[in-house]
Amino acid sequence: MKQYIYLLLCLVFMLFAWLIVQRVRYRATPRILKVALICYLMMVVFNTYLTSLPIVRYDWNKVLGIKMISWPIEDMAYLVVGLYMAQALYEYWLKQYEKIYQATTALSKKSRSKR
């Protein structure tokens, strides 16, 4: 049972990220997918490096036991959440900012033309 707690936590975070991505109607572009691939490769390199040293240690009784080189497969959830949820929130924020900027610019132009 202990090994499923970490997996459950990862699934909860991934579900939360998925709900946010769906809520803001985010769709990844091919450019974002390339960035995701680069981040995945970097995660493999650095996570493998850190877990092969005595810096990061896992209690293998609390994870599924499926390894990606020297780290548990559940660590992939952090990458998925970090990449897609962060991108979706950033894009949503950027669209909101652009709407506000366009509205204030239009108001500013309108007030100048009245003078």
Side-chain angles (χ1 to χ4, degrees):
M1 180 62 182
K2 288 181 184 178
Q3 70 237 26
Y4 295 110
I5 292 173
Y6 188 57
L7 176 65
L8 180 63
L9 182 64
C10 292
L11 290 174
V12 166
F13 281 122
M14 288 178 68
L15 176 66
F16 183 69
W18 181 81
L19 290 172
I20 288 174
V21 168
Q22 295 304 310
R23 174 74 174 116
V24 299
R25 294 182 177 96
Y26 174 72
R27 298 291 174 251
T29 62
R31 203 159 141 197
I32 294 298
L33 296 175
K34 288 176 188 174
V35 169
L37 179 64
I38 291 168
C39 288
Y40 169 74
L41 293 173
M42 289 174 53
M43 181 179 177
V44 168
V45 169
F46 292 112
N47 216 4
T48 302
Y49 175 70
L50 290 172
T51 55
S52 64
L53 297 175
I55 295 172
V56 177
R57 295 283 182 208
Y58 291 98
D59 184 354
W60 291 100
N61 296 322
K62 295 182 180 174
V63 294
L64 286 179
I66 302 170
K67 289 185 180 182
M68 295 282 295
I69 305 171
S70 62
W71 42 279
I73 190 84
E74 292 96 327
D75 277 6
M76 293 301 297
Y78 300 121
L79 180 66
V80 170
V81 169
L83 280 175
Y84 297 109
M85 187 175 69
Q87 287 292 327
L89 290 174
Y90 177 75
E91 186 174 299
Y92 178 76
W93 173 82
L94 192 60
K95 285 179 183 177
Q96 297 302 316
Y97 178 78
E98 286 173 351
K99 284 180 190 177
I100 292 169
Y101 178 76
Q102 289 171 355
T104 55
T105 304
L107 284 174
S108 176
K109 286 180 184 178
K110 203 181 230 186
S111 67
R112 280 190 220 146
S113 66
K114 287 184 179 180
R115 292 182 192 174

